[in-house]
Amino acid sequence: MDKTFYITTPIYYPSAKPHMGHAYSSIIADFFARFKIIDDYQVHFLTGTDEHGLKIQRSAEKAGKEPQIFCDQISQTFRDLSDTLNLSNTDFIRTTETRHKNTVQHLWNELEKNDDIYLSNYSGWYSVSDEAFYNEDEIEEVEGKKIAISSKSPVEWIEEESYFFRLSKWEKPLLDYYEANPDFIAPQSRKNEVISFVKSGLKDLSVSRKSFSWGIPVPNNKKHVIYVWLDALTNYLSALKYPNKDDDLFKKFWPASIHLIGKDILRFHAVYWPAFLLAAKIDLPNRVYGHGWILSGEEKMSKSKGNILDPLEIIKEYGLDPLRYYLIKEVSFGNDGNISKERLEDCINSDLANNFGNLCQRVTAFAIKNCNGKIPLEVKFNDEDLLILNKYKDNLDNIRLKIDNQNINFYIDYIVNSLFEANKYFNDQEPWKKKDDIIRLNTIVYTTLEIVRKISFLLYPIIPESSLKALKIFDIEEKNIKLSSVSNNEYLTKGNKINKIEILFKKIEKNND
Ligand code: MSP
């Protein structure tokens, strides 16, 4: 059976142009997708935009545009960002597409058929910014204004006729499910949060709105539009052509391997979504991972707070791969992280330019000069060579396991250590002093080139473009990057030409005052 992997990002609100927080979720998802691609999985990687609801309707009104036209324009900036970030996504879904609307209405009908939806009246607090309902104990008053404690966004009182989903009925099944599937919610701290929320008691959830029209109509009552979160979450299914269960995409890729989300939207993904799926008798995704926030100072970066770092500006100034590397390395995965240009510059100088770029340049320059510009023909590994080479083989299964547990921190540490070791090996072995022992010189060069090749493979999920540039040394193409061959100590064909490559990363001049 083919190995398959289905990963999703949140679908982003096109209420304003994308910022670093959105870029972060997408880059992390791309990291996992690319890792699985080189590990020979068939990968479906979904991202997109969440275009209905009052938040978007109001943003469009503010901009003086029809909501659809407004969404068309801003959704395009998210699509463009996917290209700019070099995402390997296989689909980009918009919730205003027909394929999606049909699936949502189908799911609604299923829930109604199973008696999980009923008509009543809602009165309570609502945050348009979060598109979320809040209980009285979840809000506070600050300077005379009611806000949600968790997100600090303003709430307003609403009272209207509404359809409800029988969420309360699913309290016990959800708790049983979490217990039977201990890896469903990650990391552990988030899981505890969810469990205590569910244990505190679930109330039925309002799943339709009547006082505005920008949404998917309730199938048999056009006066209501479907609650935007029920609409949005369903994107993960509509992209696989659900309800067509015979479709290849659905058969192959559902249940999703992982929904990657920010911790701000955990409740929707780890409580509401599984409850909807249980009610509709659809398998649950394997995992929901809630990562931390990119902070600006002490606060979450967001449009309403006006503390946005624009990914496009950073990319323009430093390049894409440095940003990807930096976000993956410096924001300890699962936790919040502060980002600063200074740390980004340190990363570029020490890890990328010195440790990786320099190693590539040094060994190729040496080989071009001393080995006729070819991969050495005759090599004889000694214990030291084998020790450093075999580490990759010995660690490969562990690396796979760590990635399946979303332990990105382990992965990046492994690479940083490997680079450090590789540089040390080349220095300590002093091939420049071995000119009268040509087999030894050849072996040191071959070993170091093999390590450059292995590390470039491992770096591919993080910095794909630079990894490919480095692999030009050996004329290795993207389609030939296979994780399994990281174990091979003699992958490089002896006698093949070695190519000189351009400088991979330029060092940043820093003022040390
Ligand atoms: N549309 C909903 C998601 C629906 S998914 C079925 C939404 N959209 S959003 O535009 O607000 O994006 C939310 C996601 O963007 C977060 O969950 C997170 O993945 C990412 N980020 C937005 N700001 C962020 C930070 N400051 N830091 C890290 N990621 C954050 O919620």
Side-chain angles (χ1 to χ4, degrees), residues 27-221:
I27 287 172
I28 298 288
D30 189 56
F31 164 81
F32 288 119
R34 286 183 188 270
F35 182 89
K36 291 294 182 182
I37 291 171
I38 65 171
D39 203 16
D40 271 338
Y41 281 70
Q42 279 191 58
V43 173
H44 198 59
F45 170 13
L46 178 69
T47 186
T49 43
D50 178 0
E51 308 190 0
H52 291 127
L54 198 48
K55 177 177 170 116
I56 300 295
Q57 182 173 310
R58 285 191 184 161
S59 304
E61 276 161 12
K62 225 170 156 186
K65 292 186 177 146
E66 282 300 312
Q68 187 62 59
I69 292 168
F70 179 76
C71 288
D72 289 348
Q73 288 168 348
I74 304 195
S75 176
Q76 187 58 41
T77 65
F78 279 89
R79 207 184 274 265
D80 293 345
L81 183 74
S82 304
D83 292 339
T84 310
L85 299 177
N86 194 10
L87 302 188
S88 57
N89 60 302
T90 41
D91 198 354
F92 184 101
I93 193 160
R94 299 183 55 192
T95 54
T96 47
E97 289 173 65
T98 311
R99 61 168 169 160
H100 174 72
K101 291 184 197 166
N102 291 343
T103 303
V104 173
Q105 289 188 325
H106 176 88
L107 186 67
W108 178 281
N109 287 335
E110 289 296 294
L111 298 177
E112 209 168 28
K113 198 172 76 194
N114 298 344
D115 190 33
D116 271 293
I117 282 182
Y118 63 93
L119 189 62
S120 183
N121 286 297
Y122 179 80
S123 59
W125 297 104
Y126 191 76
S127 156
V128 177
S129 165
D130 305 341
E131 295 284 19
F133 301 95
Y134 288 107
N135 294 332
E136 202 66 51
D137 60 352
E138 292 175 308
I139 61 162
E140 62 184 350
E141 195 166 316
V142 175
E143 290 163 8
K145 286 199 182 115
K146 303 267 190 200
I147 60 167
I149 297 170
S150 55
S151 65
K152 309 277 174 245
S153 50
V155 291
E156 49 196 76
W157 184 258
I158 57 172
E159 270 184 40
E160 63 190 40
E161 183 185 74
S162 170
Y163 284 93
F164 281 79
F165 171 72
R166 293 189 200 282
L167 186 62
S168 55
K169 173 176 142 190
W170 296 99
E171 189 180 311
K172 170 94 173 47
L174 280 173
L175 290 170
D176 291 346
Y177 191 85
Y178 303 145
E179 197 172 329
N181 299 274
D183 297 328
F184 175 60
I185 305 166
Q188 182 72 31
S189 54
R190 310 252 187 273
K191 177 173 145 182
N192 299 341
E193 227 174 83
V194 169
I195 292 179
S196 65
F197 171 73
V198 176
K199 277 192 175 154
S200 73
L202 294 177
K203 290 203 309 198
D204 289 352
L205 179 71
S206 160
V207 284
S208 77
R209 297 293 309 269
K210 210 180 165 188
S211 52
F212 65 91
S213 58
W214 183 239
I216 301 176
V218 165
N220 291 317
N221 186 349

Side-chain angles (χ1 to χ4, degrees), residues 10-11 13 19 21-22 25 50 236 262 264-265 291 293-294 301:
I11 47 170
Y13 290 127
H19 63 67
H22 305 127
S25 295
D50 178 0
Y236 304 130
D264 47 334
I265 55 174
H291 66 65
W293 286 337
I294 305 282
M301 202 177 286

Side-chain angles (χ1 to χ4, degrees), residues 332-391:
S332 162
F333 192 56
N335 300 318
D336 294 347
N338 244 298
I339 64 172
S340 75
K341 281 192 177 183
E342 200 180 347
R343 292 291 304 136
L344 170 62
E345 291 176 359
D346 288 344
C347 256
I348 297 176
N349 286 349
S350 66
D351 293 14
L352 296 175
N354 275 352
N355 282 348
F356 181 52
N358 217 5
L359 177 71
C360 295
Q361 294 300 337
R362 270 177 88 195
V363 63
T364 41
F366 186 85
I368 287 170
K369 201 159 155 219
N370 297 287
C371 307
N372 295 325
K374 295 199 170 131
I375 312 273
L377 279 171
E378 217 178 326
V379 299
K380 200 161 168 269
F381 297 132
N382 67 19
D383 285 350
E384 272 176 290
D385 310 326
L386 287 173
L387 184 72
I388 189 163
L389 286 169
N390 285 340
K391 271 195 188 162

Side-chain angles (χ1 to χ4, degrees), residues 9-15 19-26 49-51 55 78 129-131 228-229 231-236 260-266 268-269 291-296 299-303 307 336-337:
T9 71
I11 47 170
Y12 306 111
Y13 290 127
S15 50
H19 63 67
M20 197 59 89
H22 305 127
Y24 180 66
S25 295
S26 291
T49 43
D50 178 0
E51 308 190 0
K55 177 177 170 116
F78 279 89
S129 165
D130 305 341
E131 295 284 19
V228 62
W229 270 101
D231 166 346
L233 288 159
T234 307
N235 89 91
Y236 304 130
L260 185 73
I261 55 164
K263 63 179 184 180
D264 47 334
I265 55 174
L266 191 62
F268 304 96
H269 283 80
H291 66 65
W293 286 337
I294 305 282
L295 303 176
S296 179
E299 286 201 312
K300 178 182 175 230
M301 202 177 286
S302 76
K303 188 197 157 223
N307 57 1
D336 294 347

